[in-house]
Amino acid sequence: MGIRIDSGNGAATEVQETNRVRTTGAKKEQRIPRWGIVLFVILAAFVVARTLQRGIETKKSTQPPVRPVLVAKVISRDVPLYLDEIGTCAAYETVQVQAQVMGKILQRHFQDGADVKKGDLLFTIDPAPFQAAFDQAKAQAALDQVTLKRQWDLRSKGVNAPQDYDTAVANAQKSQAAAEAAQVNLDYCSIKSPINGRIGLRDVDIGNLVGPTSPALVTIQGLDPIYTDFTVAETDLALVRKYLGGSNVKVQTWSPDAKIPSRTGDLYFIDNAVQPGSGTVKARAVTPNPDRALWPSEFVRVRFILDMIKAARLVPSQAVQISQSGPFVFVMKPDNTVDLRPVKPGQRQDGDLMVVESGLEPDETVVVTGQLALAPGAKVDPKPYAPNSPANQDGAPKSTM
């Protein structure tokens, strides 16, 4: 198709509408199909979703992981305020048995190292000469009593002099005293234990001649109760004096290997001066020892209890950490995040517990192990702390992953 143009002289020119056709064709080429639009929307949605997913993953990767830790509750109970010392035991009584009359030992009635009671027979000295002396004194006393009676009868009749009666009285009293002295010497021939205790190794055998000037025959030591001797450093003396005389002052004694139960005694003596050179003060306690487990001169562990701390707050000692700012613990919140709490630690107690004087309240939960990986606000995966469990041997919790 074209456009016919008349020039006026009878001629005509036909012009083709190429421009129009081309314009229409161009418009048809620029139109976007519907399926392309749908595809574009799908691709755009995919890109947006992928971008959001990468953002979430990036955010997750920047968050710290949940840390496994072991936790324990703050407990409250009465605990002692104490000083731990090293001491020795000493016999409560020590007796060196000696002969009180001169004579030959005829018999021994004990086994070396045996336990003896007060009044048990230990040695017998030959009693023959002392028996004879006693019999003689007894006979003389009987004669003098007869003479005294005769003089009394004559005195009542008034036929004797007063001097004769007085002499008879004096002789009767003298002979009676001699008989009693002879009886004492005869009794000394039987040497008996003066105390309850444990006998040592004898120093004489049968047949030896012994007397008052001879060395001791044997030594007996009383072991129940027993003395616990220890010392207190002069730097602790002010603290000791603060509680001295209180009802809670006690002394606990253990054997060095702790194989026997501890026993609690009473403070018996504390010296009135500091020992020159050592800077310590001597102290002594009386300790029950019914099983004879403690021995004289044995080294023992001593806990000098000064007072009882009422309702003390206790945590496992591992929970208390040290930083440049001082001691602290990690306290777990209800949402399983932790908070750093400064504390004032006190004495360690039995069972690996430590007193916390300030900074914690009863029933709060503290982190016991795993603190190196924590910071305030960190989230944790708590597990209960069990002392001496395998999970605590390396000081860190075992991962459950």
Side-chain angles (χ1 to χ4, degrees), residues 98-105 124-131 185-186 188-189 191 208-214:
Q98 290 183 289
Q100 294 180 274
V101 292
M102 180 72 72
K104 183 177 68 174
I105 294 179
T124 298
I125 295 177
D126 185 5
F130 301 99
Q131 184 68 53
N185 289 334
L186 181 60
Y188 282 158
C189 292
I191 301 176
N208 281 273
L209 184 66
V210 297
T213 59
S214 302

Side-chain angles (χ1 to χ4, degrees), residues 87-330:
T88 57
C89 289
Y92 186 73
E93 296 175 294
T94 300
V95 177
Q96 292 183 331
V97 179
Q98 290 183 289
Q100 294 180 274
V101 292
M102 180 72 72
K104 183 177 68 174
I105 294 179
L106 292 184
Q107 289 179 300
R108 172 172 59 87
H109 304 276
F110 65 90
Q111 177 67 35
D112 293 340
D115 289 330
V116 295
K117 296 181 179 180
K118 184 177 180 178
D120 286 353
L121 186 60
L122 303 179
F123 295 97
T124 298
I125 295 177
D126 185 5
F130 301 99
Q131 184 68 53
F134 172 70
D135 292 341
Q136 181 179 0
K138 188 177 180 181
Q140 184 64 45
L143 177 61
D144 289 340
Q145 286 294 329
V146 172
T147 303
L148 177 60
K149 185 177 182 304
R150 184 179 299 116
Q151 289 296 327
W152 170 256
D153 292 339
L154 294 174
R155 178 65 177 167
S156 63
K157 296 177 181 179
V159 295
N160 65 340
Q163 183 179 0
D164 294 338
Y165 175 75
D166 294 340
T167 300
V169 171
N171 289 337
Q173 292 177 346
K174 185 192 305 182
S175 60
Q176 182 63 33
E180 292 175 356
Q183 179 67 64
V184 169
N185 289 334
L186 181 60
D187 292 341
Y188 282 158
C189 292
S190 299
I191 301 176
K192 299 178 181 180
S193 174
I195 62 171
N196 296 330
R198 189 175 183 86
I199 203 162
L201 188 65
R202 69 186 185 278
D203 292 325
V204 295
D205 291 314
I206 296 174
N208 281 273
L209 184 66
V210 297
T213 59
S214 302
L217 308 180
V218 73
T219 299
I220 303 175
Q221 291 186 320
L223 303 182
D224 181 31
I226 197 169
Y227 286 131
T228 298
D229 294 334
F230 60 100
T231 59
V232 176
E234 61 180 329
T235 53
D236 296 324
L237 190 56
L239 180 64
V240 171
R241 291 178 60 191
K242 178 180 177 181
Y243 296 100
L244 203 60
S247 59
N248 293 325
V249 175
K250 298 291 181 181
V251 179
Q252 288 184 324
T253 304
W254 286 270
S255 63
D257 54 9
K259 290 184 178 179
I260 62 172
S262 67
R263 58 264 338 256
T264 302
D266 297 319
L267 183 67
Y268 170 74
F269 163 81
I270 188 165
D271 208 349
N272 56 5
V274 177
Q275 298 298 308
S278 65
T280 58
V281 179
K282 291 181 179 179
R284 168 172 279 188
V286 178
T287 304
N289 191 34
D291 55 356
R292 309 295 199 278
L294 299 178
W295 219 249
S297 300
E298 177 185 13
F299 281 98
V300 291
R301 295 187 297 158
V302 178
R303 175 161 290 183
F304 188 14
I305 299 176
L306 303 176
D307 199 10
M308 296 299 293
I309 305 173
K310 301 295 183 180
R313 293 162 177 79
L314 301 171
V315 298
S317 59
Q318 293 175 262
V320 180
Q321 302 291 300
I322 303 296
S323 68
Q324 293 180 349
S325 301
F328 70 93
V329 298
F330 280 109

Side-chain angles (χ1 to χ4, degrees), residues 331-338 365 379 382:
V331 180
M332 191 179 74
K333 299 179 181 179
D335 61 354
N336 285 5
T337 61
V338 295
T365 302
K379 199 170 187 63

